[in-house]
Amino acid sequence: MSATNRVVVDPITRIEGHLRIEAETDADGHITRASSAGTMVRGIEIILRGRDPRDAWAYAQRICGVCTLVHAIASIRSVEDALKYPIPPNAQLIRNLMIAAQYVHDHVMHFYHLHALDWVDVVSALKADPKATSQLAQSISSYAKSSPGYFADVQKKLKGFVEGGQLGIFANGYWGHPAYKLPPEANLMAVAHYLDALAWQRDVVKLHAIFGGKNPHPNFVVGGVPCAISIDPSHPGHGNGPHYRGGQEATAVSMVGLQTVQNVISQMREFVDQVYLPDTLAIAGFYKDWAARGEGLGNFLCYGDFPTKDMGSPESFFLPRGAILNRDLSTIHPVDLDDPQQIQEYVSHSWYKYSVGDEKGLHPYAGETEFNYTGPKPPYEHLDTDAKYSWMKSPRWNGKPMEVGPLARVLMLYAKGHEQTRELVGYTLKTLGVGTEALFSTLGRTAARTLESKIIVEAMQGWFDSLMANIKAGDLKTFNEKQWDPSTWPKHAQGAGFTEAPRGGLSHWIVIDDALISNYQAVVPSTWNAGPRDAAGLPGAYEAALQDRHTLYDPKQPIEILRTIHSFDPCIACAVHVTDPDGEELIKVKVR
Ligand code: NFE
Ligand code: MG
């Protein structure tokens, strides 16, 4: 072995989009330098120029099909911020419910379908004793599906896959790798819950369909939410059923629809409490060494979300806004999205160019999206990571690389003294027998996603109860109409729309001139986390995390890289905002 090897993982699987990791290792397999590259480019920001701001959400929402609604939310909020339009309280509550439902849905799917197989050896589950699996399951949860017969059935199904040479959804794992530590029974339990979670997620997306007409990509509207509410008890719900009266009532959300929303919240809560949380703790107990690596930057950023008043009152947010630096939970630094010095994007290592020079950062209102591909023609062996090497930009806050996402949010709640968070974090650390420093790790990041799901699903009940109370008091308003006349708009306006997406702080920045979009920039969670080094050479969050105490047991099966990268829940479709591997123009868009 030479002194330095370079391990390339491209594409990283079980994520959305195309991510390439190049890791340099020493003779012992220890990662000494890691580089994260987005290998595709998209042009949504460019496509949006020249369009009507009220339509932007429908385009922006197509940035991603995983976080199916967050880009629409950020977009309508950017327009509302630019034009100073308030929305009715019911719309705020319904948006909160929709964003929150996305978290719980997305986090559960990430855990079971995208991340679990880094920790769970599917093939080992064949060796499990269904009776012992049942005992294990019943010892950690009251979940009803836990009989020996249930686990025997799952095992039989799995055996069928393996014997037929058809692992199907379970193909391509590093099965049998010594890094897998769970006993066969824990593996079988997790595989059973993998299949359960697939069925569960089909049910819980109903919430989005009820308020937004469909999923993925529910409908939104600048000024509120697009669903009317009907309290006519004879009205059965959506559609043209026997009680069809035409007009608004035909499509309004009825009491039946609202009851379904309540059922979905209960179903989400049950799965989080009885399956997701106990599984996370049970699996984490076998991987405590991962509580001591993968920390990364130690800097965390949250825009905050879930207003109880309006978007202009961050102090009313359920998830607080702020920045934490160098792991110091005693100080929350204030964050201002409009301050041109605070949030800037760099392109010194990205395949873009800036009119002001590639070493400078640009605030998103002044942001530029100009392609400048200087890399090798694919397929290539290595990227020159000292030069430009990614289609992602490098966002920075006050010049610092920041981690965003569930861990950042849980730390922010913790630092603010949020009681439930403090209790849950304390309980988790105690159960695992690890100290507070374990939060800053690969395991901490994954556990934070689970804890956040519990915190958010309980908050959903509160928002739903408030919505029902408003409705019972006669307030059915979900939309303000007045902004629909562009002749009332200022000649020039700009706004920042933000949300906390499942993967972290998301912001869309719009500049409106003569009622059309003159600039549109999206700075998204996976860009913060997966972006390349900046002009100062500071690594992004993935890079820094991989550089923290990772040793590859077998460079040909780099499961260690997958564990830490998946702990961030990457989405590169979001991060690079129509793939064109040949570098040719894929689509020409005519603008007015
Ligand atoms: Ni495509 Fe997304 C989320 C956004 S990305 S999944 O959550 O924004 O990081
Ligand atoms: Mg962008």
PDB file of all heavy atoms in Angstrom, residues 77 80-81 84-93 95-96 303-319 321 480 498:
ATOM      1  N   ARG A  77     -43.190  31.853   0.870  1.00  0.00           N
ATOM      2  CA  ARG A  77     -42.791  32.746   1.966  1.00  0.00           C
ATOM      3  C   ARG A  77     -41.865  33.857   1.467  1.00  0.00           C
ATOM      4  O   ARG A  77     -41.886  34.962   2.010  1.00  0.00           O
ATOM      5  CB  ARG A  77     -42.113  31.944   3.081  1.00  0.00           C
ATOM      6  CG  ARG A  77     -43.121  31.191   3.942  1.00  0.00           C
ATOM      7  CD  ARG A  77     -42.413  30.350   4.993  1.00  0.00           C
ATOM      8  NE  ARG A  77     -43.352  29.776   5.959  1.00  0.00           N
ATOM      9  CZ  ARG A  77     -43.002  28.887   6.887  1.00  0.00           C
ATOM     10  NH1 ARG A  77     -41.748  28.460   6.967  1.00  0.00           N
ATOM     11  NH2 ARG A  77     -43.905  28.412   7.728  1.00  0.00           N
ATOM     12  N   GLU A  80     -44.184  36.411   0.001  1.00  0.00           N
ATOM     13  CA  GLU A  80     -44.926  37.085   1.079  1.00  0.00           C
ATOM     14  C   GLU A  80     -44.021  38.051   1.845  1.00  0.00           C
ATOM     15  O   GLU A  80     -44.444  39.134   2.257  1.00  0.00           O
ATOM     16  CB  GLU A  80     -45.541  36.040   2.022  1.00  0.00           C
ATOM     17  CG  GLU A  80     -46.724  35.307   1.377  1.00  0.00           C
ATOM     18  CD  GLU A  80     -47.054  33.966   2.015  1.00  0.00           C
ATOM     19  OE1 GLU A  80     -46.380  33.574   2.995  1.00  0.00           O
ATOM     20  OE2 GLU A  80     -47.981  33.288   1.515  1.00  0.00           O
ATOM     21  N   ASP A  81     -42.752  37.663   2.001  1.00  0.00           N
ATOM     22  CA  ASP A  81     -41.802  38.551   2.679  1.00  0.00           C
ATOM     23  C   ASP A  81     -41.519  39.779   1.821  1.00  0.00           C
ATOM     24  O   ASP A  81     -41.485  40.903   2.323  1.00  0.00           O
ATOM     25  CB  ASP A  81     -40.506  37.784   2.979  1.00  0.00           C
ATOM     26  CG  ASP A  81     -39.509  38.614   3.775  1.00  0.00           C
ATOM     27  OD1 ASP A  81     -39.905  39.195   4.811  1.00  0.00           O
ATOM     28  OD2 ASP A  81     -38.327  38.702   3.367  1.00  0.00           O
ATOM     29  N   LYS A  84     -44.728  41.878   1.694  1.00  0.00           N
ATOM     30  CA  LYS A  84     -45.257  42.160   3.039  1.00  0.00           C
ATOM     31  C   LYS A  84     -46.718  41.745   3.181  1.00  0.00           C
ATOM     32  O   LYS A  84     -47.576  42.533   3.616  1.00  0.00           O
ATOM     33  CB  LYS A  84     -45.100  43.653   3.407  1.00  0.00           C
ATOM     34  CG  LYS A  84     -43.672  44.174   3.243  1.00  0.00           C
ATOM     35  CD  LYS A  84     -42.748  43.657   4.338  1.00  0.00           C
ATOM     36  CE  LYS A  84     -41.288  43.959   4.076  1.00  0.00           C
ATOM     37  NZ  LYS A  84     -40.460  42.828   3.616  1.00  0.00           N
ATOM     38  N   TYR A  85     -47.028  40.548   2.777  1.00  0.00           N
ATOM     39  CA  TYR A  85     -48.391  40.058   2.901  1.00  0.00           C
ATOM     40  C   TYR A  85     -48.543  39.087   4.055  1.00  0.00           C
ATOM     41  O   TYR A  85     -47.866  38.067   4.093  1.00  0.00           O
ATOM     42  CB  TYR A  85     -48.814  39.345   1.615  1.00  0.00           C
ATOM     43  CG  TYR A  85     -49.132  40.321   0.518  1.00  0.00           C
ATOM     44  CD1 TYR A  85     -48.534  40.206  -0.710  1.00  0.00           C
ATOM     45  CD2 TYR A  85     -50.027  41.358   0.753  1.00  0.00           C
ATOM     46  CE1 TYR A  85     -48.808  41.115  -1.711  1.00  0.00           C
ATOM     47  CE2 TYR A  85     -50.302  42.266  -0.247  1.00  0.00           C
ATOM     48  CZ  TYR A  85     -49.688  42.144  -1.467  1.00  0.00           C
ATOM     49  OH  TYR A  85     -49.961  43.041  -2.444  1.00  0.00           O
ATOM     50  N   PRO A  86     -49.428  39.397   4.969  1.00  0.00           N
ATOM     51  CA  PRO A  86     -49.687  38.448   6.059  1.00  0.00           C
ATOM     52  C   PRO A  86     -50.579  37.307   5.577  1.00  0.00           C
ATOM     53  O   PRO A  86     -51.262  37.447   4.559  1.00  0.00           O
ATOM     54  CB  PRO A  86     -50.421  39.304   7.088  1.00  0.00           C
ATOM     55  CG  PRO A  86     -51.120  40.352   6.279  1.00  0.00           C
ATOM     56  CD  PRO A  86     -50.294  40.579   5.026  1.00  0.00           C
ATOM     57  N   ILE A  87     -50.562  36.215   6.296  1.00  0.00           N
ATOM     58  CA  ILE A  87     -51.486  35.125   5.967  1.00  0.00           C
ATOM     59  C   ILE A  87     -52.365  34.857   7.187  1.00  0.00           C
ATOM     60  O   ILE A  87     -51.996  35.174   8.310  1.00  0.00           O
ATOM     61  CB  ILE A  87     -50.749  33.840   5.524  1.00  0.00           C
ATOM     62  CG1 ILE A  87     -49.963  33.208   6.679  1.00  0.00           C
ATOM     63  CG2 ILE A  87     -49.836  34.128   4.334  1.00  0.00           C
ATOM     64  CD1 ILE A  87     -49.456  31.797   6.361  1.00  0.00           C
ATOM     65  N   PRO A  88     -53.547  34.290   6.997  1.00  0.00           N
ATOM     66  CA  PRO A  88     -54.458  34.052   8.123  1.00  0.00           C
ATOM     67  C   PRO A  88     -53.883  33.006   9.092  1.00  0.00           C
ATOM     68  O   PRO A  88     -53.123  32.127   8.669  1.00  0.00           O
ATOM     69  CB  PRO A  88     -55.729  33.501   7.462  1.00  0.00           C
ATOM     70  CG  PRO A  88     -55.577  33.716   6.003  1.00  0.00           C
ATOM     71  CD  PRO A  88     -54.133  33.856   5.711  1.00  0.00           C
ATOM     72  N   PRO A  89     -54.257  33.097  10.381  1.00  0.00           N
ATOM     73  CA  PRO A  89     -53.757  32.133  11.370  1.00  0.00           C
ATOM     74  C   PRO A  89     -54.011  30.672  10.967  1.00  0.00           C
ATOM     75  O   PRO A  89     -53.151  29.818  11.179  1.00  0.00           O
ATOM     76  CB  PRO A  89     -54.527  32.484  12.645  1.00  0.00           C
ATOM     77  CG  PRO A  89     -54.922  33.911  12.470  1.00  0.00           C
ATOM     78  CD  PRO A  89     -55.092  34.139  10.999  1.00  0.00           C
ATOM     79  N   ASN A  90     -55.157  30.390  10.383  1.00  0.00           N
ATOM     80  CA  ASN A  90     -55.431  28.995   9.998  1.00  0.00           C
ATOM     81  C   ASN A  90     -54.429  28.503   8.953  1.00  0.00           C
ATOM     82  O   ASN A  90     -54.018  27.346   8.967  1.00  0.00           O
ATOM     83  CB  ASN A  90     -56.844  28.852   9.406  1.00  0.00           C
ATOM     84  CG  ASN A  90     -57.920  28.961  10.467  1.00  0.00           C
ATOM     85  OD1 ASN A  90     -57.644  28.826  11.651  1.00  0.00           O
ATOM     86  ND2 ASN A  90     -59.148  29.206  10.031  1.00  0.00           N
ATOM     87  N   ALA A  91     -54.046  29.407   8.049  1.00  0.00           N
ATOM     88  CA  ALA A  91     -53.076  29.016   7.014  1.00  0.00           C
ATOM     89  C   ALA A  91     -51.735  28.686   7.661  1.00  0.00           C
ATOM     90  O   ALA A  91     -51.054  27.725   7.286  1.00  0.00           O
ATOM     91  CB  ALA A  91     -52.926  30.131   5.993  1.00  0.00           C
ATOM     92  N   GLN A  92     -51.373  29.491   8.659  1.00  0.00           N
ATOM     93  CA  GLN A  92     -50.108  29.233   9.370  1.00  0.00           C
ATOM     94  C   GLN A  92     -50.146  27.860  10.040  1.00  0.00           C
ATOM     95  O   GLN A  92     -49.190  27.090   9.972  1.00  0.00           O
ATOM     96  CB  GLN A  92     -49.917  30.343  10.418  1.00  0.00           C
ATOM     97  CG  GLN A  92     -48.499  30.628  10.799  1.00  0.00           C
ATOM     98  CD  GLN A  92     -47.696  31.262   9.684  1.00  0.00           C
ATOM     99  OE1 GLN A  92     -47.092  30.552   8.879  1.00  0.00           O
ATOM    100  NE2 GLN A  92     -47.689  32.595   9.624  1.00  0.00           N
ATOM    101  N   LEU A  93     -51.266  27.557  10.678  1.00  0.00           N
ATOM    102  CA  LEU A  93     -51.397  26.262  11.370  1.00  0.00           C
ATOM    103  C   LEU A  93     -51.373  25.107  10.367  1.00  0.00           C
ATOM    104  O   LEU A  93     -50.738  24.080  10.608  1.00  0.00           O
ATOM    105  CB  LEU A  93     -52.694  26.232  12.190  1.00  0.00           C
ATOM    106  CG  LEU A  93     -52.689  27.139  13.428  1.00  0.00           C
ATOM    107  CD1 LEU A  93     -54.107  27.324  13.970  1.00  0.00           C
ATOM    108  CD2 LEU A  93     -51.777  26.555  14.526  1.00  0.00           C
ATOM    109  N   ARG A  95     -50.018  25.127   7.377  1.00  0.00           N
ATOM    110  CA  ARG A  95     -48.636  24.986   6.879  1.00  0.00           C
ATOM    111  C   ARG A  95     -47.775  24.260   7.913  1.00  0.00           C
ATOM    112  O   ARG A  95     -46.960  23.400   7.562  1.00  0.00           O
ATOM    113  CB  ARG A  95     -48.042  26.364   6.563  1.00  0.00           C
ATOM    114  CG  ARG A  95     -48.614  27.004   5.317  1.00  0.00           C
ATOM    115  CD  ARG A  95     -47.916  28.339   5.046  1.00  0.00           C
ATOM    116  NE  ARG A  95     -48.549  29.051   3.936  1.00  0.00           N
ATOM    117  CZ  ARG A  95     -48.131  30.241   3.492  1.00  0.00           C
ATOM    118  NH1 ARG A  95     -47.104  30.849   4.059  1.00  0.00           N
ATOM    119  NH2 ARG A  95     -48.751  30.831   2.488  1.00  0.00           N
ATOM    120  N   ASN A  96     -47.925  24.642   9.176  1.00  0.00           N
ATOM    121  CA  ASN A  96     -47.145  23.954  10.214  1.00  0.00           C
ATOM    122  C   ASN A  96     -47.402  22.450  10.178  1.00  0.00           C
ATOM    123  O   ASN A  96     -46.471  21.644  10.266  1.00  0.00           O
ATOM    124  CB  ASN A  96     -47.513  24.484  11.609  1.00  0.00           C
ATOM    125  CG  ASN A  96     -46.861  25.834  11.922  1.00  0.00           C
ATOM    126  OD1 ASN A  96     -46.092  26.353  11.120  1.00  0.00           O
ATOM    127  ND2 ASN A  96     -47.174  26.388  13.081  1.00  0.00           N
ATOM    128  N   TYR A 303     -32.588  28.435  10.906  1.00  0.00           N
ATOM    129  CA  TYR A 303     -33.396  29.619  10.602  1.00  0.00           C
ATOM    130  C   TYR A 303     -34.614  29.670  11.529  1.00  0.00           C
ATOM    131  O   TYR A 303     -35.196  30.719  11.743  1.00  0.00           O
ATOM    132  CB  TYR A 303     -33.900  29.587   9.167  1.00  0.00           C
ATOM    133  CG  TYR A 303     -32.823  29.536   8.106  1.00  0.00           C
ATOM    134  CD1 TYR A 303     -32.953  28.712   6.995  1.00  0.00           C
ATOM    135  CD2 TYR A 303     -31.684  30.331   8.205  1.00  0.00           C
ATOM    136  CE1 TYR A 303     -31.990  28.680   6.004  1.00  0.00           C
ATOM    137  CE2 TYR A 303     -30.697  30.291   7.225  1.00  0.00           C
ATOM    138  CZ  TYR A 303     -30.856  29.463   6.124  1.00  0.00           C
ATOM    139  OH  TYR A 303     -29.905  29.424   5.139  1.00  0.00           O
ATOM    140  N   GLY A 304     -34.983  28.478  12.039  1.00  0.00           N
ATOM    141  CA  GLY A 304     -36.186  28.387  12.853  1.00  0.00           C
ATOM    142  C   GLY A 304     -37.426  28.224  11.992  1.00  0.00           C
ATOM    143  O   GLY A 304     -37.422  28.536  10.796  1.00  0.00           O
ATOM    144  N   ASP A 305     -38.476  27.701  12.631  1.00  0.00           N
ATOM    145  CA  ASP A 305     -39.736  27.489  11.888  1.00  0.00           C
ATOM    146  C   ASP A 305     -40.868  27.187  12.865  1.00  0.00           C
ATOM    147  O   ASP A 305     -40.676  27.127  14.060  1.00  0.00           O
ATOM    148  CB  ASP A 305     -39.585  26.339  10.894  1.00  0.00           C
ATOM    149  CG  ASP A 305     -40.546  26.478   9.697  1.00  0.00           C
ATOM    150  OD1 ASP A 305     -41.521  27.231   9.777  1.00  0.00           O
ATOM    151  OD2 ASP A 305     -40.289  25.805   8.685  1.00  0.00           O
ATOM    152  N   PHE A 306     -42.030  26.970  12.288  1.00  0.00           N
ATOM    153  CA  PHE A 306     -43.282  26.718  12.999  1.00  0.00           C
ATOM    154  C   PHE A 306     -43.689  27.933  13.826  1.00  0.00           C
ATOM    155  O   PHE A 306     -43.668  27.922  15.053  1.00  0.00           O
ATOM    156  CB  PHE A 306     -43.179  25.465  13.884  1.00  0.00           C
ATOM    157  CG  PHE A 306     -42.827  24.227  13.112  1.00  0.00           C
ATOM    158  CD1 PHE A 306     -41.630  23.570  13.341  1.00  0.00           C
ATOM    159  CD2 PHE A 306     -43.686  23.734  12.150  1.00  0.00           C
ATOM    160  CE1 PHE A 306     -41.298  22.426  12.628  1.00  0.00           C
ATOM    161  CE2 PHE A 306     -43.363  22.591  11.421  1.00  0.00           C
ATOM    162  CZ  PHE A 306     -42.163  21.932  11.670  1.00  0.00           C
ATOM    163  N   PRO A 307     -44.051  29.030  13.129  1.00  0.00           N
ATOM    164  CA  PRO A 307     -44.473  30.251  13.816  1.00  0.00           C
ATOM    165  C   PRO A 307     -45.789  30.042  14.540  1.00  0.00           C
ATOM    166  O   PRO A 307     -46.672  29.327  14.049  1.00  0.00           O
ATOM    167  CB  PRO A 307     -44.639  31.260  12.681  1.00  0.00           C
ATOM    168  CG  PRO A 307     -44.878  30.432  11.469  1.00  0.00           C
ATOM    169  CD  PRO A 307     -44.126  29.152  11.670  1.00  0.00           C
ATOM    170  N   THR A 308     -45.888  30.631  15.703  1.00  0.00           N
ATOM    171  CA  THR A 308     -47.188  30.658  16.339  1.00  0.00           C
ATOM    172  C   THR A 308     -47.839  32.019  16.069  1.00  0.00           C
ATOM    173  O   THR A 308     -49.023  32.202  16.292  1.00  0.00           O
ATOM    174  CB  THR A 308     -47.081  30.396  17.847  1.00  0.00           C
ATOM    175  OG1 THR A 308     -46.050  31.224  18.372  1.00  0.00           O
ATOM    176  CG2 THR A 308     -46.739  28.945  18.117  1.00  0.00           C
ATOM    177  N   LYS A 309     -47.012  32.980  15.587  1.00  0.00           N
ATOM    178  CA  LYS A 309     -47.584  34.254  15.120  1.00  0.00           C
ATOM    179  C   LYS A 309     -47.342  34.347  13.612  1.00  0.00           C
ATOM    180  O   LYS A 309     -48.014  33.709  12.846  1.00  0.00           O
ATOM    181  CB  LYS A 309     -46.971  35.424  15.882  1.00  0.00           C
ATOM    182  CG  LYS A 309     -47.640  35.609  17.250  1.00  0.00           C
ATOM    183  CD  LYS A 309     -46.851  36.439  18.203  1.00  0.00           C
ATOM    184  CE  LYS A 309     -46.699  37.874  17.772  1.00  0.00           C
ATOM    185  NZ  LYS A 309     -45.752  38.586  18.691  1.00  0.00           N
ATOM    186  N   ASP A 310     -46.370  35.159  13.219  1.00  0.00           N
ATOM    187  CA  ASP A 310     -46.092  35.261  11.781  1.00  0.00           C
ATOM    188  C   ASP A 310     -44.608  35.051  11.538  1.00  0.00           C
ATOM    189  O   ASP A 310     -43.819  34.961  12.470  1.00  0.00           O
ATOM    190  CB  ASP A 310     -46.572  36.613  11.243  1.00  0.00           C
ATOM    191  CG  ASP A 310     -45.966  37.760  12.022  1.00  0.00           C
ATOM    192  OD1 ASP A 310     -44.733  37.927  11.957  1.00  0.00           O
ATOM    193  OD2 ASP A 310     -46.718  38.475  12.723  1.00  0.00           O
ATOM    194  N   MET A 311     -44.233  35.031  10.261  1.00  0.00           N
ATOM    195  CA  MET A 311     -42.839  34.707   9.916  1.00  0.00           C
ATOM    196  C   MET A 311     -41.879  35.814  10.344  1.00  0.00           C
ATOM    197  O   MET A 311     -40.685  35.595  10.467  1.00  0.00           O
ATOM    198  CB  MET A 311     -42.705  34.465   8.411  1.00  0.00           C
ATOM    199  CG  MET A 311     -43.416  33.237   7.915  1.00  0.00           C
ATOM    200  SD  MET A 311     -43.027  31.754   8.845  1.00  0.00           S
ATOM    201  CE  MET A 311     -41.321  31.468   8.407  1.00  0.00           C
ATOM    202  N   GLY A 312     -42.425  37.000  10.563  1.00  0.00           N
ATOM    203  CA  GLY A 312     -41.566  38.110  10.970  1.00  0.00           C
ATOM    204  C   GLY A 312     -41.284  38.119  12.463  1.00  0.00           C
ATOM    205  O   GLY A 312     -40.604  39.008  12.961  1.00  0.00           O
ATOM    206  N   SER A 313     -41.831  37.156  13.214  1.00  0.00           N
ATOM    207  CA  SER A 313     -41.620  37.118  14.668  1.00  0.00           C
ATOM    208  C   SER A 313     -40.888  35.834  15.056  1.00  0.00           C
ATOM    209  O   SER A 313     -41.500  34.912  15.616  1.00  0.00           O
ATOM    210  CB  SER A 313     -42.955  37.167  15.412  1.00  0.00           C
ATOM    211  OG  SER A 313     -43.817  38.117  14.851  1.00  0.00           O
ATOM    212  N   PRO A 314     -39.587  35.783  14.809  1.00  0.00           N
ATOM    213  CA  PRO A 314     -38.843  34.546  15.082  1.00  0.00           C
ATOM    214  C   PRO A 314     -38.950  34.090  16.544  1.00  0.00           C
ATOM    215  O   PRO A 314     -38.835  32.908  16.830  1.00  0.00           O
ATOM    216  CB  PRO A 314     -37.392  34.910  14.733  1.00  0.00           C
ATOM    217  CG  PRO A 314     -37.497  36.050  13.792  1.00  0.00           C
ATOM    218  CD  PRO A 314     -38.735  36.796  14.192  1.00  0.00           C
ATOM    219  N   GLU A 315     -39.219  35.066  17.441  1.00  0.00           N
ATOM    220  CA  GLU A 315     -39.338  34.662  18.854  1.00  0.00           C
ATOM    221  C   GLU A 315     -40.557  33.777  19.093  1.00  0.00           C
ATOM    222  O   GLU A 315     -40.646  33.104  20.121  1.00  0.00           O
ATOM    223  CB  GLU A 315     -39.326  35.894  19.790  1.00  0.00           C
ATOM    224  CG  GLU A 315     -40.466  36.879  19.624  1.00  0.00           C
ATOM    225  CD  GLU A 315     -40.366  37.766  18.365  1.00  0.00           C
ATOM    226  OE1 GLU A 315     -39.318  37.774  17.679  1.00  0.00           O
ATOM    227  OE2 GLU A 315     -41.358  38.446  18.090  1.00  0.00           O
ATOM    228  N   SER A 316     -41.496  33.765  18.130  1.00  0.00           N
ATOM    229  CA  SER A 316     -42.688  32.913  18.291  1.00  0.00           C
ATOM    230  C   SER A 316     -42.490  31.529  17.667  1.00  0.00           C
ATOM    231  O   SER A 316     -43.394  30.700  17.685  1.00  0.00           O
ATOM    232  CB  SER A 316     -43.908  33.580  17.638  1.00  0.00           C
ATOM    233  OG  SER A 316     -43.972  33.281  16.244  1.00  0.00           O
ATOM    234  N   PHE A 317     -41.307  31.271  17.120  1.00  0.00           N
ATOM    235  CA  PHE A 317     -41.111  29.987  16.438  1.00  0.00           C
ATOM    236  C   PHE A 317     -40.994  28.838  17.429  1.00  0.00           C
ATOM    237  O   PHE A 317     -40.304  28.952  18.432  1.00  0.00           O
ATOM    238  CB  PHE A 317     -39.829  29.990  15.586  1.00  0.00           C
ATOM    239  CG  PHE A 317     -39.864  30.929  14.408  1.00  0.00           C
ATOM    240  CD1 PHE A 317     -38.726  31.116  13.642  1.00  0.00           C
ATOM    241  CD2 PHE A 317     -41.019  31.629  14.061  1.00  0.00           C
ATOM    242  CE1 PHE A 317     -38.727  31.970  12.555  1.00  0.00           C
ATOM    243  CE2 PHE A 317     -41.030  32.488  12.974  1.00  0.00           C
ATOM    244  CZ  PHE A 317     -39.874  32.660  12.221  1.00  0.00           C
ATOM    245  N   PHE A 318     -41.641  27.730  17.119  1.00  0.00           N
ATOM    246  CA  PHE A 318     -41.484  26.539  17.945  1.00  0.00           C
ATOM    247  C   PHE A 318     -40.046  26.015  17.861  1.00  0.00           C
ATOM    248  O   PHE A 318     -39.445  25.639  18.863  1.00  0.00           O
ATOM    249  CB  PHE A 318     -42.477  25.453  17.509  1.00  0.00           C
ATOM    250  CG  PHE A 318     -42.342  24.181  18.296  1.00  0.00           C
ATOM    251  CD1 PHE A 318     -42.768  24.116  19.607  1.00  0.00           C
ATOM    252  CD2 PHE A 318     -41.773  23.054  17.721  1.00  0.00           C
ATOM    253  CE1 PHE A 318     -42.632  22.945  20.345  1.00  0.00           C
ATOM    254  CE2 PHE A 318     -41.629  21.871  18.446  1.00  0.00           C
ATOM    255  CZ  PHE A 318     -42.064  21.824  19.761  1.00  0.00           C
ATOM    256  N   LEU A 319     -39.493  25.982  16.658  1.00  0.00           N
ATOM    257  CA  LEU A 319     -38.070  25.640  16.506  1.00  0.00           C
ATOM    258  C   LEU A 319     -37.294  26.946  16.434  1.00  0.00           C
ATOM    259  O   LEU A 319     -37.495  27.743  15.525  1.00  0.00           O
ATOM    260  CB  LEU A 319     -37.810  24.836  15.229  1.00  0.00           C
ATOM    261  CG  LEU A 319     -38.290  23.395  15.193  1.00  0.00           C
ATOM    262  CD1 LEU A 319     -37.974  22.777  13.829  1.00  0.00           C
ATOM    263  CD2 LEU A 319     -37.653  22.559  16.296  1.00  0.00           C
ATOM    264  N   ARG A 321     -34.550  30.051  16.141  1.00  0.00           N
ATOM    265  CA  ARG A 321     -33.539  30.507  15.195  1.00  0.00           C
ATOM    266  C   ARG A 321     -32.231  30.768  15.948  1.00  0.00           C
ATOM    267  O   ARG A 321     -32.257  31.191  17.091  1.00  0.00           O
ATOM    268  CB  ARG A 321     -34.011  31.804  14.549  1.00  0.00           C
ATOM    269  CG  ARG A 321     -32.956  32.514  13.740  1.00  0.00           C
ATOM    270  CD  ARG A 321     -33.504  33.754  13.088  1.00  0.00           C
ATOM    271  NE  ARG A 321     -34.436  33.392  12.026  1.00  0.00           N
ATOM    272  CZ  ARG A 321     -34.980  34.268  11.199  1.00  0.00           C
ATOM    273  NH1 ARG A 321     -34.709  35.550  11.305  1.00  0.00           N
ATOM    274  NH2 ARG A 321     -35.808  33.874  10.259  1.00  0.00           N
ATOM    275  N   ASN A 480     -55.697  35.073   2.092  1.00  0.00           N
ATOM    276  CA  ASN A 480     -55.930  36.503   1.867  1.00  0.00           C
ATOM    277  C   ASN A 480     -55.825  36.785   0.384  1.00  0.00           C
ATOM    278  O   ASN A 480     -54.830  36.433  -0.239  1.00  0.00           O
ATOM    279  CB  ASN A 480     -54.858  37.345   2.580  1.00  0.00           C
ATOM    280  CG  ASN A 480     -55.052  37.341   4.086  1.00  0.00           C
ATOM    281  OD1 ASN A 480     -56.157  37.174   4.580  1.00  0.00           O
ATOM    282  ND2 ASN A 480     -53.964  37.503   4.825  1.00  0.00           N
ATOM    283  N   PHE A 498     -38.044  31.258   4.207  1.00  0.00           N
ATOM    284  CA  PHE A 498     -37.257  30.185   4.803  1.00  0.00           C
ATOM    285  C   PHE A 498     -38.166  29.174   5.481  1.00  0.00           C
ATOM    286  O   PHE A 498     -39.326  29.464   5.802  1.00  0.00           O
ATOM    287  CB  PHE A 498     -36.245  30.742   5.810  1.00  0.00           C
ATOM    288  CG  PHE A 498     -36.899  31.509   6.922  1.00  0.00           C
ATOM    289  CD1 PHE A 498     -37.295  30.874   8.088  1.00  0.00           C
ATOM    290  CD2 PHE A 498     -37.167  32.862   6.773  1.00  0.00           C
ATOM    291  CE1 PHE A 498     -37.930  31.580   9.096  1.00  0.00           C
ATOM    292  CE2 PHE A 498     -37.807  33.570   7.785  1.00  0.00           C
ATOM    293  CZ  PHE A 498     -38.185  32.920   8.942  1.00  0.00           C
TER     294      PHE A 498
END
